Amino acid sequence: MNRLPYIRPNIQRLQAGPVNPFRLGSSPSCVEIDGVPVAELARNYGSPLFVFSEKALREKYREAHRAFSRRYPDVQFAWSYKTNYLNAICRVFHQEGSIAEVVSGFEYEKARRNGVDGSKIIFNGPHKERADLERAVNERAMIQVDNIDELLTLASIVRDRTEPVSIALRVHLQTGTHTVWSKFGFNGDDGEVLQIIRRITTLHNLRLQGLHCHVGTFILDPENYRVAARRLVELAIEAEKIGAGQIRYLNLGGGFASHARLHYQYLPPEQTTPSLDRYAEAICETIIGLWPAGRDLPRLYLETGRALVDDAGYLISSVVAVKKRHLPSQMQTAMAAYGKSAAVMPQGNSRHALVLDAGINLLYTTAWYQPKILPARPCLDTPEPTTVFGCLCMNIDVIREDAPLPSLTTGDQVVLHPVGAYNITQSMQFITYRPAVVMIDSERKVHVIRRRENLDYVQELEAIPEHLATRTAVSRPEPHILAVA
Amino acid sequence: MHSPRIAVSGLHRGENPQPGASIVRSLRRRFPNAFIVGLVYDALESGIYAEDGPDVVYPMPYPTSGATAFLQRLDSILEKSPVDYLIPTLDAEIELLVHLEEALTERGLRTYLPDKEMLSHRAKNHLPELAKTCGVAVPDTRPVYDIAEALAVAAECGYPLMVKGQYYDAKMVSTEQALFAAVFKLFSEWGAPAILQRCVRGPEFNALGLGDGEGGIVGLCTIRKTIISNQGKGLGGITVLDPRLDEFCTRLIRALRWRGPFEIEAMLDEARGEYVLIEINPRFPAWVDFPSMLGINFPAALVQMMDVDRKPAPLPRCAPGHFYVRHQVEVAGHIEQLAALSTSADFEALDMARSLEGAAPSAPTPFPIEMGDDGASPSNGSARRHAH
Amino acid sequence: MSTPLSDLMLNDRGFVFDPASGETFQLNPTGLRIVRLLQSGLSHDAALTQMVSEFEVDEHTAQRDFSDFLENAVRLGWRIE
């Protein structure tokens, strides 16, 4: 007799609320990525494994570029290095036509080594070393000045030069987001920016050419960009009035949402993430509508990162242990982040739990977002709220409090998605090696774009003082050795 | 139109009543031969077991599970029970469905819903902008995305405060501790933001109506709430006719160009001496069957409006002076019905595996197969009714 | 207070009613099979062996899930002999 498909045996207490076997829908799976089976990827390159789809990267870039260029005559995208600066990823965007947007000397150097000319680098960020600024000035990078100290440093760098250097100012604005990113740049609402612009007109060799505003991150309402674009145009007109000359470019930064799902986001991203067309419409219509007639439209720069790379990135991971998690009842609602369904605890006071071979050290963005966790094989049984733990030896290593998952067992692979933005650049090496990263090209060929770490790599920068060079005296045997003896 | 097939959701009529059961009653008044499909989110929704309840009932995935899950389930339901009209009644559900107009039309389902923009303009966190555009007053209303923001708003506005979920639920809080608890509960059930609203003193008014999508109102019924439960629900109301309240509603619906059913909640602010907007719900209220009893049947008019070629004549106004009092009754069910609604889809999967092997699938047998003679006998409200 | 398995009323779709406590439960197909096996008087070990022979599952997984299932049943108020 053939054996029947197995699912983990389960009892649910039926109480008002969960008496609905369909409440979490069915169990979607992710068996392959761009036509390459997940099992094959894990077998060939190990688990966990970051996987990027080159096709998705290029398609998304083209979608974004199309959305803006069909509405605005002069658009330039700049790849936001911090979002993901694996060289292969950066080069895909550079090939597509992106220049680079960097926020440190390190990223600047990386962009140069990727073949980006200094004049095609937007240099952003609140901390730029004097040496980095000198290089940027010499290589005619687009410096976006963040603060008065930086402005004065620049002034001292350019004082004795023969020709003026063009700069832009970063501003922060009230655009209707619930927090204003006032850490960055100058206040565009209370007149501070105009004071700074007046000051620039008095400084030798500095020419204001651009205005930059990055309203925030994961902005779900395109109207915020409409406000930002309007205010930037108004500031540009003011700047010219006070003698700064014509503003040549507006940099609207990034912040467009990907298809990630925030904690406490009730509807899934398919319904909540605005299309790139809606952002483009808000920005382009506003600038075109308000820019003084008869004047050349300014060039529009965009530094969108997350929206271009997030959805193209996956993390394959494997189930290493199956657990139950006991939660006291008063903690139950506090432990739900997925919406109404998850507040329900049909297992009494416990919840299914899994341990994966990847941890939050690789998934920093899980602090804000809930990646989808999809089994790498089709599952027929209905999903249950499941806590997904990472492999770190730390209690805070919870990848998702309550992912809807069918019953999985050790050895099963899962695919986390989307994880292409920030996770690689913000990952940290902790207690084990960071995984390999592969990219699947448009011919379904798999390329390793970063090897798995090893002990030599991790220890490469370490040094051992001489007095620690010899081994310490062997202490007495440990009790477990005695016990065996 | 003699026997339209209509799907209705939200059938609970307990302490926090949903509109679905009232809608079903109204529909049955006008279309006695209608085939009503109940879409439920919990097997214990009371309307499932009511005498005049739906003909057939199906559990649905929560809207938070997304469009794919919702449409997959809908397809399997339509295969068994074809439907011509869909009347969603839960805010979170409507929030999902406005994205699916095309998918629903493809399936031959007629709806009469607002579009995304209309829905968003009336969302609780956008009330102040809406009120400003149409010149109506609104109490201080602020979305909060975390507890720190909530505490800051409370410090500014003071207590008591109303704390509301973006789609459902509201609670008045008077202390920091209660605010903390309420905000967390709403976040986990309905997502962020939660909405804080300054409390207003004065009588409450509700307006029920249908917008034609061009700024006009097809029908309007205004009531003053006369009995209010501890949870703020109207347990009784009396029809009123105040030109100022009508003007208030007209302005809002005109500005929104609202399409479909609505409920406007307003209060007569004692301090200001004018109506203030509390919220606008994108659906009928739970008392929608009350005007039907007076001969003004909003759900039936809605079904007519879903027929593209038929635009109904404007509904007459309810004369002032009629009142309703909510009358709660028990409905009886049997665990057999509960069993049918709670059976896990896993059994269907196993049947599929068995049939692949050539073995006969285990057909659902009546519950309880092992119940002795002294067991309770099933007491279905209606023989024609089935649960799936 | 716990209810012996023999007193639980269940149908072949895994719906369970505890007539003593008035509580209702839902078993999935594998859970139902375990309860049936135990109701028929099989020992835990024999029931586990039977599960492994009937379902596509390795012994390690079956054993872990089996004891987890019984523990859960006890916590929910069922008496497992």
Side-chain angles (χ1 to χ4, degrees), chain C residues 21 43-44 55 67:
Chain C
S21 71
S43 70
H44 290 197
F55 291 91
S67 50

Side-chain angles (χ1 to χ4, degrees), chain A residues 168-190:
Chain A
L169 286 186
R170 175 151 182 179
V171 301
H172 60 259
L173 298 162
Q174 286 279 0
T175 61
T177 55
H178 71 284
T179 44
V180 175
W181 277 22
S182 54
K183 170 181 173 178
F184 301 98
F186 303 95
N187 192 323
D189 295 315
D190 72 355

Side-chain angles (χ1 to χ4, degrees), chain A residues 1-8 10 14-27 177-179 221 261-268 270-272 278 332-344 380-383 402 404, chain B residues 40-44 59-69 72-73 76 92-93 95-96 99-100 116-117 126 143 145-146 149 166-167 184-185 187-193 338 341-346 348-350 352-354 357 388:
Chain A
M1 178 185 143
N2 286 337
R3 296 198 300 170
L4 292 166
Y6 177 80
I7 52 180
R8 180 171 45 188
N10 193 22
L14 301 180
Q15 54 205 7
V19 193
N20 178 351
F22 294 91
R23 70 190 193 287
L24 297 181
S26 50
S27 302
T177 55
H178 71 284
T179 44
D221 187 355
R261 185 177 196 157
L262 288 163
H263 291 300
Y264 299 130
Q265 181 179 318
Y266 186 81
L267 285 183
E270 289 66 33
Q271 278 74 54
T272 37
R278 290 191 52 212
Q332 289 172 15
T333 46
M335 287 303 191
Y338 178 63
K340 187 165 178 60
S341 53
V344 160
L380 293 167
D381 51 323
T382 44
D402 53 3
Chain B
V40 301
Y41 293 90
D42 188 333
L44 291 178
M60 293 297 291
Y62 289 146
T64 185
S65 303
T68 315
Q72 265 178 6
R73 179 67 183 145
S76 79
E93 198 180 37
E95 201 75 37
L96 177 68
H99 294 271
L100 305 180
K116 280 176 246 176
E117 280 69 39
H126 293 153
Y145 289 82
D146 59 43
E149 281 186 322
Q166 55 177 339
Y167 304 124
F184 264 115
K185 182 166 180 292
F187 277 173
S188 55
E189 291 199 359
W190 301 106
L338 202 56
L341 279 169
S342 79
T343 294
S344 153
D346 300 348
E348 283 166 33
L350 197 69
M352 256 164 53
R354 282 209 175 101
E357 277 183 24
H388 288 266

Side-chain angles (χ1 to χ4, degrees), chain A residues 30 33 38-39 41-42 46-51 314-320 354-360 362-363 372-377 388-391 399 408-417 419 435:
Chain A
C30 176
I33 299 170
V38 169
L41 287 164
S47 168
L49 176 73
F50 276 108
V51 181
Y314 303 78
L315 179 69
I316 299 175
S317 183
S318 306
V319 177
V320 292
L354 300 173
V355 183
L356 298 185
D357 62 359
I360 55 167
L362 304 179
L363 296 164
K372 260 186 236 162
I373 303 182
L374 303 166
R377 60 175 171 86
V388 178
F389 293 115
C391 62
I399 294 171
L408 296 174
T409 193
T410 50
D412 277 334
Q413 274 130 15
V414 292
V415 177
L416 286 78
H417 180 256
V419 297

Side-chain angles (χ1 to χ4, degrees), chain A residues 112-131:
Chain A
R112 294 289 287 117
R113 287 209 205 172
N114 276 327
V116 182
D117 189 80
S119 68
K120 305 257 181 227
I121 296 176
I122 297 178
F123 195 7
N124 237 317
H127 170 54
K128 306 181 184 87
E129 296 280 345
R130 185 182 177 99

Side-chain angles (χ1 to χ4, degrees), chain A residues 47-361:
Chain A
S47 168
L49 176 73
F50 276 108
V51 181
F52 282 86
S53 157
E54 185 177 340
K55 187 164 152 265
L57 292 172
R58 291 188 189 275
E59 279 175 1
K60 196 50 114 178
Y61 176 86
R62 288 170 196 173
E63 181 192 336
H65 192 266
R66 203 164 41 239
F68 280 88
S69 57
R70 54 186 274 242
R71 295 182 167 88
Y72 199 85
D74 191 5
V75 180
Q76 178 62 55
F77 278 78
W79 175 240
S80 156
Y81 264 53
K82 64 181 174 295
T83 313
N84 189 322
Y85 46 58
L86 285 168
N87 289 332
I89 304 278
C90 297
R91 283 167 188 249
V92 168
F93 288 118
H94 295 324
Q95 265 188 7
E96 288 290 330
S98 255
I99 59 171
E101 185 254 336
V102 304
V103 294
S104 65
F106 159 78
E107 287 192 352
Y108 189 100
E109 177 60 21
K110 233 171 173 306
R112 294 289 287 117
R113 287 209 205 172
N114 276 327
V116 182
D117 189 80
S119 68
K120 305 257 181 227
I121 296 176
I122 297 178
F123 195 7
N124 237 317
H127 170 54
K128 306 181 184 87
E129 296 280 345
R130 185 182 177 99
D132 298 329
L133 284 172
E134 281 169 356
R135 180 179 185 182
V137 165
N138 288 334
E139 298 183 349
R140 303 169 62 158
M142 282 178 272
I143 300 167
Q144 319 280 293
V145 177
D146 176 82
N147 54 65
I148 185 78
D149 292 302
E150 184 185 331
L151 183 69
L152 296 176
T153 307
L154 269 174
S156 76
I157 291 172
V158 302
R159 192 176 301 133
D160 304 323
R161 291 173 64 92
T162 49
E163 55 182 42
V165 168
S166 77
I167 56 168
L169 286 186
R170 175 151 182 179
V171 301
H172 60 259
L173 298 162
Q174 286 279 0
T175 61
T177 55
H178 71 284
T179 44
V180 175
W181 277 22
S182 54
K183 170 181 173 178
F184 301 98
F186 303 95
N187 192 323
D189 295 315
D190 72 355
E192 186 190 13
V193 171
L194 295 176
Q195 271 181 29
I196 296 293
I197 294 174
R198 274 193 202 96
R199 181 111 182 230
I200 292 172
T201 59
T202 68
L203 293 170
H204 184 57
N205 268 346
L206 286 179
R207 294 285 177 277
L208 182 69
Q209 300 245 288
L211 290 172
H212 168 34
C213 175
H214 179 95
V215 298
T217 195
F218 211 78
I219 304 297
L220 289 168
D221 187 355
E223 289 308 300
N224 299 138
Y225 288 94
R226 204 179 286 280
V227 178
R230 175 172 59 76
R231 293 289 298 123
L232 282 189
V233 172
E234 287 166 0
L235 286 172
I237 295 169
E238 286 285 317
E240 192 170 346
K241 273 190 202 150
I242 58 179
Q246 196 186 333
I247 294 295
R248 304 281 170 186
Y249 70 87
L250 298 180
N251 178 351
L252 265 292
F256 305 157
S258 67
H259 286 79
R261 185 177 196 157
L262 288 163
H263 291 300
Y264 299 130
Q265 181 179 318
Y266 186 81
L267 285 183
E270 289 66 33
Q271 278 74 54
T272 37
T273 297
S275 66
L276 290 162
D277 274 309
R278 290 191 52 212
Y279 293 115
E281 194 180 279
I283 292 171
C284 303
E285 271 181 4
T286 308
I287 302 176
I288 292 173
L290 297 177
W291 198 253
R295 287 302 186 98
D296 286 346
L297 282 169
R299 175 168 290 179
L300 171 61
Y301 286 101
L302 295 154
E303 301 170 345
T304 180
R306 185 191 305 277
L308 297 188
V309 75
D310 205 18
D311 299 351
Y314 303 78
L315 179 69
I316 299 175
S317 183
S318 306
V319 177
V320 292
V322 175
K323 293 197 168 192
K324 275 233 177 287
R325 184 185 187 198
H326 296 274
L327 291 178
S329 57
Q330 67 272 20
M331 275 175 70
Q332 289 172 15
T333 46
M335 287 303 191
Y338 178 63
K340 187 165 178 60
S341 53
V344 160
M345 301 277 285
Q347 306 294 313
N349 280 342
S350 68
R351 182 182 282 174
H352 295 307
L354 300 173
V355 183
L356 298 185
D357 62 359
I360 55 167
N361 61 323

Side-chain angles (χ1 to χ4, degrees), chain B residues 102-171:
Chain B
E102 210 173 299
L104 295 174
T105 312
E106 272 171 25
R107 287 162 173 79
L109 274 172
R110 291 181 189 181
T111 55
Y112 200 76
L113 294 170
D115 65 24
K116 280 176 246 176
E117 280 69 39
M118 298 172 195
L119 195 65
S120 153
H121 287 150
R122 60 131 282 283
K124 290 172 201 161
N125 49 331
H126 293 153
L127 276 192
E129 292 108 281
L130 172 67
K132 207 173 151 196
T133 5
C134 38
V136 307
V138 66
D140 211 343
T141 304
R142 319 258 193 102
V144 296
Y145 289 82
D146 59 43
I147 194 70
E149 281 186 322
L151 292 171
V153 173
E156 197 186 320
C157 297
Y159 295 100
L161 266 179
M162 290 304 293
V163 188
K164 301 180 175 189
Q166 55 177 339
Y167 304 124
Y168 186 71
D169 225 355
K171 193 179 169 66

Side-chain angles (χ1 to χ4, degrees), chain C residues 45-80:
Chain C
D45 284 349
L48 181 60
T49 313
Q50 185 63 28
M51 289 298 290
V52 176
S53 74
E54 284 182 25
F55 291 91
E56 284 166 9
V57 61
D58 62 86
E59 234 176 280
H60 165 97
T61 304
Q63 204 165 33
R64 180 197 65 208
D65 293 350
F66 189 83
S67 50
D68 190 48
F69 175 82
L70 294 189
E71 188 200 319
N72 195 18
V74 169
R75 204 167 36 238
L76 290 171
W78 299 6
R79 194 184 311 154
I80 309 286

